[in-house]
Amino acid sequence: MRHLTDPTDLTRKETDDIVALALDIIANRQKYSEVCKGKKLATLFYEPSTRTRLSFTSAMMELGGNVLGFSDANSSSVSKGETVEDTVRVVGNFVDIIAMRHHIEGAPLDASLVSLVPIINAGDGAHAHPTQTLTDLLTITRELGHLDNLTIGFCGDLLYGRTVHSLIKAMSRYEGTKFVLIAPDELRLPDYIKHDVCEKNGIEYREVSSLEDVIGELDILYMTRVQQERFADKAEYERVKDCYILDTEKMALAKEKMAVLHPLPRVNEIAKAVDADPRAAYFRQVGNGKFVRMALMYTLLKWAEEGAAPLENHKAVEVEGLTCPNRKCICNNENVEPKFHITDSGVYRCLYCDTKVK
C-alpha cells in the first residue's frame, strides 16, 4: 500500500508525474470529472484547517467522488479516548482513502502502518506537510516554468514551519537549488534539516537575519507565519512575531520575475498592499492546491488498485533502551511502540517525528 506521510514517500519522478498530472487536470477538467466516481475520501482533521480541508473536499468532489469525516476531533470517538490507530482501522471500512491532519507529530505515519486504505498526511504538528509541498511545486512550475536552478528564500518561522521542512526536502532533489534561510536566532531551521537534507544532497544554503539584504537574489520568496500555537512560552512568541513584514518597499528590491509564496493563513507578515503585485502568488497557490490534491488522490487510488509496493524509506532499526525526547510525538502521547531510524551520519532519529535521540 502506498501512502503519503512525507515528501520522500514519492520519488523525484513520481513527484514530477503528479505535478504534470495536475497541469493536465487544469487543462482538461471535464476529462477527470468522474474518474473517482464511487470512491470516498475521509477527512480526519484533529487540528483546525480551512484551506487544506476544503481543498481536499473540493478535489474529491471534482473527481466525482464523495467525502465524509470530521473537522473537530471532539465530535468523534476521539473524545472518548479512541487512538489514532483504532480510528483509522474503523474508518478504513467505510472509505477508499484518508486525509489526516493532526497536532501530534508522527500520527499519520503511525496510521499508515495499520491502515487498510491510503493515508495522506495533511499536516502533523511542526513535522511535515507533503501535500502543501506538492502545491508549492505546482505553483513554482506555473509561475516560473521550471523547478531547477532556483534560489529560494524561506523567511520567518523556519523552526516550527512544517511547510518549510517539507519543501526543502522536495527541492533538494532538483539541480542548481540554493536556499537562503531568513530567520531570527530563535526560529532557525532545525539542524537535522540542514545536515541530513541540505548537506547530504550538496545543496548550497546560508543563514541570514535580514530580508532586505537578500530579497534581490531570490527567484522564490517563501513567507511564513510565526505560529503562536507552536509556542509553549507566550513571551517568546511576542518577542519574535513581528520579525519580518513584507511590504511594497521590500518588494521594490526584488527581481521583476519573482514569486512570493505563503502557505496561509497570514497574520501581518505580508502587507495587504503587496496583494496587488503580480509577483504575489499566494492566492493562486491556494487554487493550485485543489488541482494537485486531485492528481495525488487519483494516483494513490490507482496505485492501491494495482497493489503498488511502498518505498522502503521508513525502515526501523532494532535498538533497545532509546526513547523519543519529543513530547509532541505520537509515541509519547498514545500507546505506540517507539521506533527509530539511523541516518547516514550514524545519528539515531525517531521514525515518527525525526527528532534526534540523545
Side-chain angles (χ1 to χ4, degrees):
M1 181 76 68
R2 295 293 296 273
H3 307 279
L4 181 65
T5 63
D6 186 87
T8 59
D9 288 340
L10 299 171
T11 66
R12 156 76 188 272
K13 182 181 184 306
E14 289 168 347
T15 300
D16 289 343
D17 287 346
I18 289 171
V19 170
L21 178 57
L23 291 170
D24 193 54
I25 290 172
I26 292 169
N28 304 282
R29 292 174 67 173
Q30 189 60 36
K31 172 183 171 183
Y32 296 91
S33 63
E34 293 191 356
V35 294
C36 288
K37 186 176 182 179
K39 300 294 186 181
K40 293 186 287 294
L41 162 72
T43 54
L44 308 185
F45 277 62
Y46 294 73
E47 187 178 54
S49 169
T50 300
R51 279 150 304 281
T52 304
R53 184 173 61 85
L54 295 182
S55 178
F56 271 109
T57 299
S58 178
M60 180 53 88
M61 291 173 67
E62 290 209 21
L63 292 171
N66 295 298
V67 184
L68 53 86
F70 56 77
S71 59
D72 182 358
N74 290 326
S75 65
S76 74
S77 291
V78 174
S79 63
K80 303 174 184 178
E82 187 171 66
T83 65
V84 167
E85 291 185 6
D86 284 359
T87 297
V88 166
R89 284 189 172 107
V90 170
V91 174
N93 289 285
F94 310 140
V95 301
D96 302 285
I97 191 167
I98 293 172
M100 172 186 289
R101 168 166 289 190
H102 210 296
H103 58 283
I104 298 299
E105 296 169 19
L109 177 59
D110 179 43
S112 74
L113 300 178
V114 300
S115 181
L116 301 171
V117 300
I119 295 288
I120 300 173
N121 180 3
D124 62 327
H127 180 227
H129 197 346
T131 65
Q132 180 64 50
T133 299
L134 291 172
T135 299
D136 299 339
L137 296 177
L138 176 59
T139 302
I140 294 170
T141 299
R142 296 189 75 188
E143 296 293 322
L144 296 182
H146 59 94
L147 291 169
D148 53 357
N149 298 308
L150 295 175
T151 299
I152 306 174
F154 294 96
C155 182
D157 180 3
L158 311 191
L159 176 61
Y160 299 111
R162 60 192 174 195
T163 60
V164 171
H165 304 167
S166 292
L167 185 56
I168 286 176
K169 286 182 179 180
M171 287 301 303
S172 68
R173 297 172 166 181
Y174 293 88
E175 293 183 8
T177 298
K178 297 179 182 178
F179 296 135
V180 182
L181 309 173
I182 311 156
D185 289 342
E186 299 93 330
L187 295 176
R188 294 209 165 186
L189 192 71
D191 286 342
Y192 85 91
I193 299 287
K194 288 184 281 190
H195 301 326
D196 297 347
V197 179
C198 299
E199 293 171 10
K200 177 183 175 181
N201 291 287
I203 300 296
E204 180 181 330
Y205 73 91
R206 74 183 197 272
E207 296 179 292
V208 301
S209 58
S210 170
L211 174 57
E212 292 92 329
D213 288 349
V214 298
I215 191 171
E217 307 171 23
L218 307 179
D219 300 301
I220 298 291
L221 172 58
Y222 199 95
M223 294 295 296
T224 65
R225 170 176 65 95
V226 177
Q227 304 169 83
Q228 183 175 0
E229 64 270 26
R230 305 297 178 212
F231 285 79
D233 184 346
K234 185 177 180 180
E236 183 182 359
Y237 165 74
E238 292 292 335
R239 188 167 57 253
V240 299
K241 68 176 183 178
D242 295 326
C243 284
Y244 301 102
I245 298 176
L246 181 65
D247 53 27
T248 54
E249 288 76 16
K250 294 184 183 71
M251 287 295 291
L253 303 173
K255 292 180 180 180
E256 183 176 348
K257 189 170 179 58
M258 184 269 277
V260 180
L261 276 62
H262 191 306
L264 300 179
R266 67 173 167 185
V267 180
N268 66 339
E269 61 276 4
I270 299 179
K272 288 184 66 176
V274 176
D275 296 351
D277 192 304
R279 296 168 292 183
Y282 32 89
F283 291 118
R284 295 191 293 274
Q285 187 179 356
V286 175
N288 289 331
K290 178 184 69 174
F291 295 115
V292 86
R293 289 178 177 108
M294 290 172 71
L296 173 65
M297 288 191 290
Y298 179 45
T299 299
L300 286 175
L301 287 166
K302 182 173 65 175
W303 285 348
E305 291 178 353
E306 296 170 351
L311 303 181
E312 293 188 356
N313 60 321
H314 294 296
K315 292 184 67 174
V317 295
E318 295 292 332
V319 59
E320 294 184 5
L322 292 184
T323 58
C324 175
N326 180 9
R327 57 192 174 90
K328 295 182 180 179
C329 179
I330 186 70
C331 68
N332 290 322
N333 286 270
E334 294 192 1
N335 186 21
V336 173
E337 179 187 359
K339 294 183 179 180
F340 305 92
H341 67 99
I342 188 168
T343 68
D344 292 342
S345 56
V347 174
Y348 286 102
R349 294 193 178 277
C350 176
L351 188 71
Y352 300 104
C353 70
D354 282 315
T355 298
K356 182 179 179 180
V357 181
K358 297 180 182 179

